[in-house]
Amino acid sequence: PKMKEEHCLHAALLCLGVLCYSHGLTTDRLNHSRPSLHGHHEKGKEGQVLHRSKRGWVWNQFFVIEEYTGPDPVLVGRLHSDIDSGDGNIKYILSGEGAGIIFVIDDKSGNIHATKTLDREERAQYTLTAQAVDRNTNRPLEPPSEFIVKVQDINDNPPEFLHENYHANVPERSNVGTSVIQVTASDADDPTYGNSAKLVYSILEGQPYFSVEAQTGIIRTALPNMDREAKEEYHVVIQAKDMGGHMGGLSGTTKVTITLTDVNDNPPKFPQSVYQMSVSEAAVPGEEVGRVKAKDPDIGENGLVAYSIIDGDGMDMFEITTDYETQEGVVKLKKTLDYETKKSYSLKVEAANVHIDPKFISNGPFKDTVTVKIAVEDADEPPVFLKPSYIFEVQENAASGTVVGKVHAKDPDAANSAIRYSIDRHTDLERYFVINAEDGNIKTIKALDREEMAWHNISVFAVEVHKQHQEAKVPVAIKVVDVNDNAPKFAAAYEAFVCENARSNQQFITISADDKDDSANGPRFIFSLPPEIIHNPNFTLRDNRDNTASVLVRREGFSRQKQDLYLLPIVISDGGVPPLSSTNTLTIRVCGCDSGGSLLSCNAEAYILNAGLSTGALIAILACIVILLVIVVLFVTLKRQKKEPLIVFEEEDVRENIITYDDEGGGEEDTEAFDIATLQNPDGINGFMPRKDIKPEYQYLPRPGLRPAPNSVDVDDFINTRIQEADNDPTAPPYDSIQIYGYEGRGSVAGSLSSLESATTDSDLDYDYLQNWGPRFKKLADLYGSKDTFDDDS
């Protein structure tokens, strides 16, 4: 029906347009004229010349309806000149835009037709030029005149939206009438003619959530409190219709996808009221115990939840952190637990939104709480020492078995297993201590020396009797208390020098002492001379009371010729309880000095220098010479004993140097038994022993008579000859080794020993001698011996 209405409307408009054009042309011809630009002279019957004004072109602006699809060309209009008398002498010519292609003219009548369907949206008007000429001479009768053919619009274009699909966002819970997006459509029809381009917007899909303004295309929310968590995305279809929305108008649609954006309108909520968790008492601080999660249907920052512990008896033992990736609260251990002390804890955990929207604060508190109950599980714990470390003291030199101290550990478990103690021997390699396995008493095994080791750091193990894998370890430091068992001594090996011309009471050296004992048993040191020499006429001692003493000269005038060395004993006592003392000897040398007291010489000089060497010096020199001679003699003797003999003795058996090779001989002549002794050096038989470390002094040329005949089977002669040649040949080292020759005999009469040929070979050879070769050749003797012999054996 709609199509029929449109076709009827088009036909009616077409008829109306034709009538208007015809009426316009008639009216123009009747009412509008203009003077001709050229005079026209016409002769009367009697030669009278008539003068009249020339009539010009008569027409209005032409119109043609677009999209006309009738069977005949559309009559656009008619051109007619006043000078046209209808006799056909005037020819109408049309030129300009579309002339001859779109618009054609009947050159006699001046009727203009449109031969093609026109589209106003492609071209709204055409400018043409009309001219009237004489048909015979083509002389212009009228000047060219332009006119316009306008294409009249019809509603043939539907509205079109700028985009096929639109996407828009609007916050959830928005008020009614909140603008979402504006959609715009365009119509290619003429907006100045009729209502073909007058658009009206309406919503086809999306009610009752959204609405659209009919004139502007603005989409607005139509329902209050739209909830994203209930429905997040909406699909809206908007229609734009021309003709002001009236019936018969064309329309176009577009789709709009509207997404509700999230706002924080939902508080977090725990899905349960109580969480049950458990943790072993052996867990270390920082270990995760469990997780809780409050659900918040909001997304993004609106759904962020932070967790905290707000109450409970486990606030000091546990802590909670927020895992923002999973939005979970992670309960972690904060301190070490003890099942025997407390077996369960309770926590009150709160989950609250991080970001709160003030618009929805009236919806209630954006947080929730939950109770977390944590049970402590019993764990098999190792023994625990009462102290983290122990420090004991024991006096040095204490007797073996002295008690040093006692360590104690217990089983923290409810079973309270018995404990056994032991010392880590890697910390007591010298085995100074021993521990009682049951009560933990530590005793000494041997005496301790503080001066050797002042502290002993050992480790003690505590192990449960029935669970050997459960053990604990504690460090034990044992201090060795000092006892005054070391007497003071000189701090250094002092050697003093005194001048021959020293003055009385002159100090020439200051000495100090050293004590290995502790300071309590050491200084202060007391220096003195032994009672028997306290009145020593040469030297005296003065205690400086600062752990040093000064040695002074008591008299004047020392002589190196009389005595150049003095030994002064000095007694040093310490301040220990009881005090110890020692006597130390100070060596004092008498030296020659100049007048300023500087040392010149400390040796004893003789007054007579030309008396020659003393007897002691001569004895010393002779003793040195004798010692040197003895060393030389011993060296020569040892060298002779170690020297290797150069002669090969007869008892040396050269068979020790023979190397056996698995060579196969050529016949029975190679296997004749011979005495191995003949392989010895033949020259040794005659008593000639060749040297092994030097070359022979003469060249030996083998005598022709000694070489055996080619067919000789005397192996002894052959080998002896070759040995004699080798012993005398200087170019065949080494000279102390025996040459072995792979000599193969010739002329074997036995032939092949192969059993493959023995069955087919007829031989008259006599193999009776095989019977004499012993039991090893018995099988061959049986196979190849004479028939009589074989029969006898069998």
Side-chain angles (χ1 to χ4, degrees), residues 174-384:
S174 296
N175 296 327
V176 175
T178 301
S179 175
V180 179
I181 191 175
Q182 183 178 17
V183 294
T184 303
S186 61
D187 196 320
D189 293 325
D190 189 0
T192 63
Y193 178 79
N195 295 327
S196 298
K198 185 178 181 181
L199 304 181
V200 174
Y201 298 93
S202 62
I203 183 167
L204 300 182
E205 295 181 15
Q207 301 97 337
Y209 307 103
F210 300 95
S211 63
V212 63
E213 291 183 355
Q215 305 301 324
T216 62
I218 297 176
I219 301 174
R220 300 182 183 273
T221 58
L223 280 182
N225 297 325
M226 284 192 292
D227 190 3
R228 184 201 66 84
E229 287 72 35
K231 186 176 182 181
E232 183 176 7
E233 191 173 81
Y234 295 85
H235 297 282
V236 178
V237 177
I238 301 297
Q239 174 183 268
K241 191 173 184 180
D242 57 15
M243 300 299 293
H246 296 295
M247 183 178 296
L250 303 179
S251 64
T253 60
T254 186
K255 293 180 180 180
V256 182
T257 301
I258 301 176
T259 303
L260 297 183
T261 58
D262 185 64
V263 298
N264 190 11
D265 58 340
N266 294 280
K269 187 71 176 177
F270 284 104
Q272 59 197 69
S273 59
V274 178
Y275 283 87
Q276 299 286 347
M277 300 179 184
S278 61
V279 60
S280 173
E281 64 172 334
V284 297
E287 187 172 335
E288 181 178 329
V289 178
R291 295 190 174 212
V292 298
K293 184 175 183 180
K295 294 183 178 180
D296 190 334
D298 296 323
I299 60 175
E301 67 175 13
N302 298 318
L304 293 180
V305 179
Y307 297 87
S308 60
I309 300 174
I310 60 176
D311 197 6
D313 58 0
M315 293 183 64
D316 296 335
M317 305 301 295
F318 300 93
E319 61 183 356
I320 190 169
T321 58
T322 303
D323 186 346
Y324 286 103
E325 292 185 1
T326 61
Q327 290 298 302
E328 293 177 319
V330 183
V331 180
K332 295 183 179 180
L333 184 62
K334 189 176 180 181
K335 295 182 181 179
T336 305
L337 301 173
D338 186 9
Y339 172 81
E340 288 72 26
T341 303
K342 190 171 177 61
K343 297 179 175 57
S344 64
Y345 294 89
S346 178
L347 301 174
K348 189 175 183 181
V349 176
E350 180 184 80
N353 279 138
V354 178
H355 302 282
I356 299 176
D357 193 339
K359 297 179 182 178
F360 306 100
I361 194 77
S362 59
N363 289 5
F366 283 81
K367 55 187 175 182
D368 193 17
T369 59
V370 71
T371 300
V372 179
K373 293 184 177 180
I374 303 174
V376 181
E377 297 177 348
D378 187 21
D380 189 8
E381 300 175 88
V384 177

Side-chain angles (χ1 to χ4, degrees), residues 62-136:
F62 291 161
F63 293 89
V64 61
I65 297 177
E66 66 170 337
E67 302 292 347
Y68 175 73
T69 58
D72 299 324
V74 178
L75 177 63
V76 178
R78 181 181 181 183
L79 299 180
H80 185 73
S81 176
D82 292 342
I83 63 174
D84 186 2
S85 60
D87 55 1
N89 292 325
I90 295 178
K91 179 180 179 181
Y92 295 98
I93 299 174
L94 186 67
S95 62
E97 297 175 344
I101 300 174
I102 299 176
F103 304 101
V104 295
I105 189 170
D106 188 344
D107 58 356
K108 291 183 178 180
S109 64
N111 291 333
I112 301 173
H113 290 83
T115 61
K116 292 184 179 181
T117 302
L118 301 180
D119 187 359
R120 189 199 69 82
E121 286 69 40
E122 289 184 4
R123 187 155 190 171
Q125 65 182 22
Y126 297 86
T127 302
L128 298 172
T129 301
Q131 190 174 17
V133 298
D134 187 275
R135 184 177 294 275
N136 297 321

Side-chain angles (χ1 to χ4, degrees), residues 626-700:
V626 172
I627 291 173
L628 290 175
L629 291 175
V630 170
I631 292 174
V632 172
V633 171
L634 290 175
F635 178 80
V636 173
T637 303
L638 292 175
K639 188 173 182 181
R640 290 180 178 178
Q641 290 180 355
K642 294 182 179 179
K643 191 172 184 180
E644 184 180 359
L646 303 178
I647 305 300
V648 179
F649 293 95
E650 185 177 0
E651 60 269 19
E652 293 182 356
D653 192 355
V654 295
R655 287 177 294 179
E656 297 176 356
N657 297 327
I658 296 177
I659 300 174
T660 303
Y661 298 90
D662 295 333
D663 295 333
E664 183 179 354
E668 67 278 359
E669 294 181 0
D670 294 339
T671 60
E672 291 182 357
F674 55 89
D675 187 6
I676 195 66
T678 60
L679 294 178
Q680 294 182 352
N681 193 341
D683 295 332
I685 302 175
N686 300 326
F688 175 73
M689 299 291 184
R691 295 287 294 273
K692 295 190 296 182
D693 58 340
I694 60 174
K695 296 182 181 180
E697 297 180 357
Y698 61 92
Q699 295 290 335
Y700 175 75

Side-chain angles (χ1 to χ4, degrees), residues 770-791:
L770 295 176
Q771 300 291 338
N772 301 326
W773 283 16
R776 295 185 179 181
F777 297 89
K778 185 175 184 305
K779 188 66 177 178
L780 292 175
D782 294 341
L783 293 174
Y784 297 98
S786 63
K787 185 175 182 182
D788 297 335
T789 306
F790 179 78
D791 295 338

